């Protein structure tokens, strides 16, 4: 047949011919996706040659001969440019090479680079993503500490040790009631030997008067030679700065994982093909980890087949079965809510009991009793975080979900449980701080001054205790549970009980929830305890080495492995939820609860946020009008409408990109059909030649 008629027999050409009857003339540009190879190649080459001056040839997916030909074209084009244009291109190339070399050098300076690469090579990218996430939290807390140190601690240290010619500006107490400014100092005298241990673990005693807590910063400002440093404003700005930095940093990192997840939202057939042909992790070099990866792929295929079976089962359900399963799910979710409510109530009761009895003198109770009273809320929260995942894992089996959805729903419930317990503790403390019970002193000061003369410091002490207790529990579980369990499994493997118990699994979601829990405590407590990010940094550094040793010597990887892209996005999404939950109590405490009148930089303000209107009132009148206009409803409503329009635009753009992706997938499918058709024709032609 003639060449033209032969090309018209291709499946791709027939598909385009069928579509031409329905596609409008204005949509002809979409047909360029299915043009013949030669015209498409010429179009691509024309686009490349136009962009040779602005982009490197290395970025294009071409073979070596094509890249050499394009490089010759690029050198030919350079001859016809002016000296100024040639200098600009040479300088841009030199700058790009410098940036590439700088990036290569910075990779060698990465924290724990060799350790993480070794973990990746032995255990795959899923577990490696957990340790990379832990490294990210170390860097995040280090940056948060540097922000607080530069804005709050450094000016105080420079003045305190006479490094600069500056003096403290003390807070005037003349406009306040003298009873609200009383801050009783812990009694001095005979001190028991264990009191320093209690102080170190609870943040009381000698630690309460250090720069670790909010009450130490009872300074109105620092007067330098040419200006006065406003410490209350700097304290508030440091809090807003570290919250905003955390939000932007997390969103920036999570967008990359979201793009990968969006691209991988494929059909089920493509999911099977990707697991079979492209599911292997080539970073694995260990034999046992290779066997584990084999079992993981088998598990994923079984899970996919199980999900397909459940989808088919859902499609075949009768109305009576649908009503029965939804009624069962409703009943089980009521049980889940009851469990959560019981845990929250237990935390509330433990916090109330601890706050009412922690004011006793140390000599009236023994060492263990005092420590138990101080750590009672932390103990109840830890027990709730340990028991509820076991209950949720048992309940989820009766709800008849697919295996993938079971894992996601269980993790979501555990995330809510872990992070909500912190909020319950903070709101319980807030209710105790603001409850007056017809106390005239409390109504005069605006808060319960009798029990909480410096309530910010005491909230900081609770966050400090949560941080320390969480760290102690991680170390204790690793040393006194995982290590002996490994010894028993290794040397007593013949016992049936030990065989049933087995070796501890290194479960990635549980470990991630643990460090996100600690990071949420740090975000909430950094306002009340400015040095808490430094403690969190040291804590996460030690946890990195503890978890690495635990992975290498005491634990075995979980058979349910995570891909690195899915893991990173999941970790950052959970961390973003923790940040949002941390912002809520901080916002309420800074804007609603009256600040302490006996300690802290905000004693001359009703609330912490009142420093902002005071600062705005010192601006020139024109700038004040601009600020008031930006914060008014007349600006907020149009701004909200513009934001909605921009959001709708990006939604429409995402829909257009999704349609292009669908077209590209169809093109790939048509190309494979064309190849099969051409191979079939070639085989028939060879048979005809042999027959003749």
């Amino acid at each position: 047949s003639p060449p033209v008629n032969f090309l018209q027999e291709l499946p791709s050409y027939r598909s385009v011919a069928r579509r031409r009857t329905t596609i409008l003339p204005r949509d002809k540009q979409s047909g360029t996706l299915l043009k013949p190879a030669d015209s498409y190649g010429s179009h691509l080459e024309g686009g490349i040659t136009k962009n040779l001056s602005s982009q490197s040839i290395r970025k294009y997916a071409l073979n070596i001969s094509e890249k050499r030909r394009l490089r010759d074209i690029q050198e030919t084009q350079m001859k016809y440019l002016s000296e100024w244009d040639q200098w600009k291109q040479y300088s841009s190339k030199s700058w790009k090479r410098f940036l590439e070399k700088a990036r290569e050098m910075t990779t060698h300076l990465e924290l724990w680079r060799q350790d993480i690469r070794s973990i990746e090579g032995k255990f795959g990218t899923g577990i490696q993503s957990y340790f990379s996430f832990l490294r990210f939290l170390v860097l995040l807390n280090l940056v948060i500490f540097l922000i607080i140190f530069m804005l709050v601690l450094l000016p105080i240290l420079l003045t305190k040790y006479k490094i600069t010619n500056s003096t403290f500006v003390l807070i005037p107490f003349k406009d306040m009631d003298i009873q609200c400014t009383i801050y009783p100092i812990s009694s001095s005298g005979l001190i028991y030997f264990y009191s320093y241990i209690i102080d170190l673990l609870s943040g009381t005693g000698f630690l309460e008067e250090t720069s670790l807590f909010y009450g130490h910063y009872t300074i109105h400002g620092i007067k330098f030679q040419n200006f006065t440093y406003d410490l209350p404003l700097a304290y508030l700005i440091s809090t807003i700065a570290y919250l905003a930095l955390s939000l932007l940093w997390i969103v920036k990192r999570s967008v990359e994982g979201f793009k990968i997840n969006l691209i991988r939202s494929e059909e089920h057939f493509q999911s099977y093909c990707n697991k079979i042909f492209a599911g292997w992790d080539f970073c694995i070099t260990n034999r046992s980890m290779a066997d584990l990866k084999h079992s993981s792929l088998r598990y994923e295929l079984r899970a996919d087949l199980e999900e397909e079976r459940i989808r088919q089962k859902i499609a075949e359900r009768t109305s009576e079965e649908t009503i029965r399963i939804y009624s069962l799910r409703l009943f089980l979710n009521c049980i889940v809510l009851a469990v959560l409510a019981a845990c929250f109530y237990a935390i509330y009761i433990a916090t109330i009991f601890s706050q009412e009895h922690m004011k006793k003198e140390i000599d009236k109770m023994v060492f263990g009793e005092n420590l138990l009273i101080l750590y009672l809320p932390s103990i109840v929260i830890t027990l709730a975080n340990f028991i509820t995942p076991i209950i949720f894992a048992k309940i989820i089996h009766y709800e008849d979900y697919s295996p993938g959805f079971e894992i996601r729903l269980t993790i979501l419930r555990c995330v809510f449980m872990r992070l909500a317990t912190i909020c319950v503790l903070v709101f319980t403390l807030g209710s105790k701080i603001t409850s007056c019970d017809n106390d005239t002193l409390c109504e005069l000061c605006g808060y319960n001054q009798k029990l909480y003369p410096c309530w910010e410091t005491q909230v900081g002490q609770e966050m400090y205790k949560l941080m320390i207790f969480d760290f102690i529990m991680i170390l204790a579980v690793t040393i006194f549970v995982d290590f002996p369990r490994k010894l028993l499994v290794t040397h007593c493997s013949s016992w049936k009980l030990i065989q049933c118990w087995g070796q501890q699994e290194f479960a990635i979601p549980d470990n991630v929830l643990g460090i996100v829990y600690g990071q949420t405590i740090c975000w909430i407590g950094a306002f009340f305890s400015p040095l808490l990010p430094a403690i969190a940094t040291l804590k996460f550094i030690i946890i990195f080495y503890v978890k690495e040793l635990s992975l290498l010597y005491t634990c075995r990887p979980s058979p349910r492995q995570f891909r690195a892209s899915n893991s990173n996005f999941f970790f950052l999404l959970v961390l973003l939820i923790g940040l949002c939950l941390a912002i809520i109590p901080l916002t309420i405490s800074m804007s609603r609860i009256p600040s302490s009148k006996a300690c802290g930089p905000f004693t001359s303000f009703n609330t912490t946020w009142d420093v902002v209107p005071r600062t705005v009132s010192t601006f020139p009148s024109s700038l004040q009008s601009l600020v008031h206009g930006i914060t008014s409803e007349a600006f907020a409503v149009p701004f909200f409408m513009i934001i909605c329009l921009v959001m709708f635009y990006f939604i429409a753009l995402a829909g257009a990109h999704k349609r292009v992706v669908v077209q590209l997938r169809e093109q790939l499918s048509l190309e494979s059909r064309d190849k099969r058709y051409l191979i079939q024709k070639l085989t028939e032609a060879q048979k005809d030649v042999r027959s003749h």
Side-chain angles (χ1 to χ4, degrees):
S1 60
V4 177
N5 296 333
F6 178 74
L7 291 176
Q8 290 176 356
E9 294 178 2
L10 291 174
S12 59
Y13 183 84
R14 292 179 180 179
S15 178
V16 172
R18 285 195 302 269
R19 289 184 179 183
R20 283 178 180 173
T21 59
T22 58
I23 297 177
L24 296 175
R26 61 185 176 84
D27 295 331
K28 287 183 179 179
Q29 292 181 354
S30 62
T32 57
L33 292 173
L34 300 173
K35 283 185 176 181
D38 52 352
S39 61
Y40 180 74
S42 61
H43 175 73
L44 178 64
E45 182 179 345
I48 292 175
T49 52
K50 289 180 181 178
N51 297 326
L52 280 177
S53 59
S54 60
Q55 295 187 6
S56 175
I57 300 175
R58 190 183 303 173
K59 296 181 179 180
Y60 295 103
L62 301 172
N63 54 33
I64 298 297
S65 60
E66 289 292 327
K67 287 185 178 181
R68 287 174 179 171
R69 190 172 62 84
L70 289 175
R71 189 175 298 278
D72 294 336
I73 295 173
Q74 188 180 29
E75 292 177 355
T76 305
Q77 290 178 353
M78 287 284 292
K79 296 178 181 178
Y80 298 100
L81 297 176
S82 62
E83 293 182 358
W84 171 250
D85 293 334
Q86 290 182 8
W87 179 83
K88 285 197 298 183
Q89 289 200 12
Y90 281 126
S91 60
S92 64
K93 284 183 178 179
S94 301
W95 177 249
K96 288 178 182 178
R97 290 196 194 98
F98 172 75
L99 291 178
E100 290 177 358
K101 293 293 183 182
R103 291 192 192 98
E104 291 178 1
M105 291 296 295
T106 53
T107 55
H108 294 284
L109 299 176
E110 286 182 355
L111 185 64
W112 298 316
R113 178 171 175 266
Q114 294 297 330
D115 296 275
I116 291 178
R117 285 198 171 187
S118 176
I119 292 170
E120 181 181 9
K122 293 179 180 179
F123 303 102
T125 56
I127 295 179
Q128 173 265 339
S129 62
Y130 163 76
F131 286 94
S132 298
F133 179 67
L134 191 55
R135 177 178 61 186
F136 164 69
L137 291 183
V138 170
L139 296 176
L140 177 64
N141 284 293
L142 181 61
V143 174
I144 291 174
F145 168 69
L146 291 177
I147 290 174
I148 297 175
F149 178 80
M150 296 296 293
L151 292 177
V152 179
L153 283 170
L154 184 60
I156 293 177
L157 294 176
L158 292 177
T159 305
K160 183 178 180 180
Y161 294 102
K162 305 297 182 182
I163 299 175
T164 58
N165 188 13
S166 56
T167 56
F168 291 122
V169 179
L170 300 179
I171 298 174
F173 292 100
K174 59 182 180 180
D175 297 333
M176 307 176 195
D177 193 284
I178 192 64
Q179 294 178 336
C180 297
T181 61
I182 298 174
Y183 186 18
I185 303 174
S186 58
S187 60
S188 59
L190 181 61
I191 298 177
Y192 291 91
F193 71 95
Y194 57 79
S195 60
Y196 290 107
I197 301 175
I198 294 177
D199 294 342
L200 188 63
L201 293 176
S202 61
T204 56
F206 72 95
L207 279 181
E208 187 174 351
E209 301 173 6
T210 62
S211 56
L212 178 61
F213 294 109
Y214 171 93
H216 178 76
Y217 304 91
T218 312
I219 302 168
H220 187 67
I222 300 173
K223 189 173 183 180
F224 292 91
Q225 290 182 349
N226 300 323
F227 68 97
T228 300
Y229 189 77
D230 195 344
L231 188 66
L233 182 62
Y235 201 99
L236 180 61
I237 288 175
S238 66
T239 304
I240 297 174
Y242 80 72
L243 291 175
L245 173 72
S246 302
L247 178 63
L248 294 176
W249 203 345
I250 293 171
V251 169
K252 180 181 179 299
R253 289 176 65 96
S254 61
V255 164
E256 300 173 359
F258 179 73
K259 288 178 181 178
I260 297 174
N261 286 342
L262 191 64
I263 292 172
R264 287 187 173 177
S265 59
E266 63 249 339
E267 298 177 354
H268 302 295
F269 179 73
Q270 292 176 346
S271 176
Y272 296 140
C273 294
N274 286 338
K275 285 185 176 67
I276 293 172
F277 296 109
W280 187 253
D281 190 352
F282 288 94
C283 295
I284 297 175
T285 57
N286 189 289
R287 177 66 183 177
S288 60
M289 282 307 302
D291 296 336
L292 183 64
K293 185 63 179 177
H294 280 291
S295 63
S296 175
L297 288 174
R298 287 196 299 269
Y299 168 79
E300 290 181 5
L301 290 173
R302 285 198 301 266
D304 289 340
L305 294 174
E306 180 67 18
E307 289 181 0
E308 189 67 29
R309 186 191 65 80
I310 290 176
R311 275 192 291 269
Q312 186 176 359
K313 181 181 176 182
I314 292 172
E316 296 174 355
R317 275 179 188 164
T318 61
S319 57
E320 291 82 4
E321 291 177 345
T322 304
I323 293 173
R324 183 186 62 81
I325 191 65
Y326 278 104
S327 301
L328 180 61
R329 288 175 182 175
L330 180 62
F331 174 71
L332 293 175
N333 278 286
C334 291
I335 295 177
V336 170
L337 292 176
V339 170
L340 292 174
C343 293
F344 295 158
Y345 182 72
I347 295 169
Y348 173 78
I349 294 298
T351 306
I352 296 295
F353 182 82
S354 175
Q355 294 297 311
E356 289 178 353
H357 291 79
M358 68 185 301
K359 296 299 180 181
K360 294 181 180 180
E361 294 294 332
I362 295 178
D363 55 358
K364 293 182 180 179
M365 59 181 75
V366 297
F367 171 74
E369 181 186 358
N370 186 43
L371 206 57
L372 181 64
I373 293 294
L374 291 173
Y375 271 90
L376 187 59
S378 302
I379 294 171
V380 173
I381 289 174
T382 303
L383 288 176
N385 292 334
F386 176 75
I387 295 172
T388 50
I390 301 174
I391 299 175
F392 294 157
K394 296 294 183 183
I395 289 175
I396 198 70
H397 291 309
Y398 299 99
E399 296 186 78
D400 198 14
Y401 290 119
S402 63
F405 188 76
E406 281 185 5
I407 295 173
R408 289 192 292 269
L409 183 59
T410 305
I411 290 174
L412 183 63
R413 287 171 177 172
C414 295
V415 167
F416 178 76
M417 177 63 204
R418 278 183 175 269
L419 301 183
T421 51
I422 307 174
C423 295
V424 170
L425 173 64
V426 174
F427 283 117
T428 304
L429 290 173
S431 64
K432 288 291 293 181
I433 291 168
T434 55
S435 62
C436 291
D437 297 332
N438 298 323
D439 188 0
T440 56
L441 180 61
C442 177
E443 295 175 356
L444 180 65
C445 302
Y447 59 96
N448 196 337
Q449 205 274 342
K450 184 177 180 181
L451 289 177
Y452 303 97
C454 184
W455 65 265
E456 292 94 345
T457 293
Q458 286 163 299
V459 173
Q461 289 171 349
E462 292 297 327
M463 297 296 106
Y464 174 81
K465 286 186 286 187
L466 283 176
M467 179 79 70
I468 297 298
F469 190 75
D470 180 58
F471 178 62
I472 292 174
M473 288 302 299
I474 291 173
L475 292 180
V477 168
T478 304
I479 297 172
F480 300 110
V481 177
D482 294 344
F483 184 67
R485 184 173 177 178
K486 171 68 175 178
L487 293 178
L488 290 174
V489 171
T490 304
H491 301 286
C492 305
S493 57
S494 59
W495 297 2
K496 291 184 178 180
L497 181 61
I498 300 299
Q499 290 177 359
C500 296
W501 194 18
Q503 192 176 349
Q504 176 66 31
E505 290 184 359
F506 190 86
I508 298 176
D510 295 339
N511 284 284
V512 169
L513 293 181
I515 59 176
V516 170
Y517 168 77
Q519 183 59 43
T520 307
I521 294 172
C522 178
W523 276 323
I524 297 176
F527 175 78
F528 307 103
S529 178
L531 295 184
L532 203 61
I535 299 174
T537 304
L538 295 176
K539 172 189 169 183
F540 287 141
I541 289 174
I542 297 173
I543 286 176
F544 181 92
Y545 290 108
V546 170
K547 291 297 180 182
E548 183 182 11
L549 293 175
S550 175
L551 175 65
L552 294 174
Y553 300 108
T554 64
C555 295
R556 62 182 176 89
S558 174
R560 293 182 177 182
Q561 290 191 343
F562 283 70
R563 283 186 177 272
S565 57
N566 297 338
S567 302
N568 291 329
F569 179 67
F570 164 72
F571 299 164
L572 293 168
L573 180 62
V574 174
L575 191 63
L576 189 61
I577 295 172
L579 177 61
C580 295
L581 288 178
I583 290 174
I584 296 173
L586 280 176
T587 305
I588 294 175
S589 63
M590 289 190 295
S591 59
R592 296 295 181 185
I593 303 178
S595 57
S596 297
K597 303 300 183 291
C599 67
F602 301 99
T603 53
S604 58
F605 301 97
N606 186 30
T607 60
T608 302
W609 188 254
D610 287 347
V611 69
V612 176
R614 196 281 311 266
T615 305
V616 172
S617 64
T618 61
F619 291 167
S621 58
S622 58
L623 189 57
Q624 289 186 35
S625 302
L626 178 62
V627 173
H628 290 311
I630 292 174
T631 56
S632 64
E633 294 84 356
F635 177 82
V637 174
F639 180 75
F640 178 74
M641 293 177 66
I642 292 172
I643 291 295
C644 290
L645 291 175
V646 172
M647 183 179 65
F648 291 147
Y649 165 74
F650 280 108
I651 291 174
L653 189 63
H657 289 165
K658 192 172 183 179
R659 288 191 294 271
V660 171
V661 170
V662 171
Q663 289 181 359
L664 290 172
R665 285 178 177 171
E666 291 178 357
Q667 180 184 351
L668 289 174
S669 177
L670 290 172
E671 286 181 356
S672 64
R673 290 167 59 188
D674 287 346
K675 290 177 181 178
R676 290 198 299 268
Y677 178 78
L678 292 173
I679 291 172
Q680 181 183 357
K681 289 295 183 182
L682 182 61
T683 305
E684 292 176 358
Q686 288 177 350
K687 289 180 180 179
D688 293 338
V689 171
R690 290 173 182 174
S691 62
H692 292 296

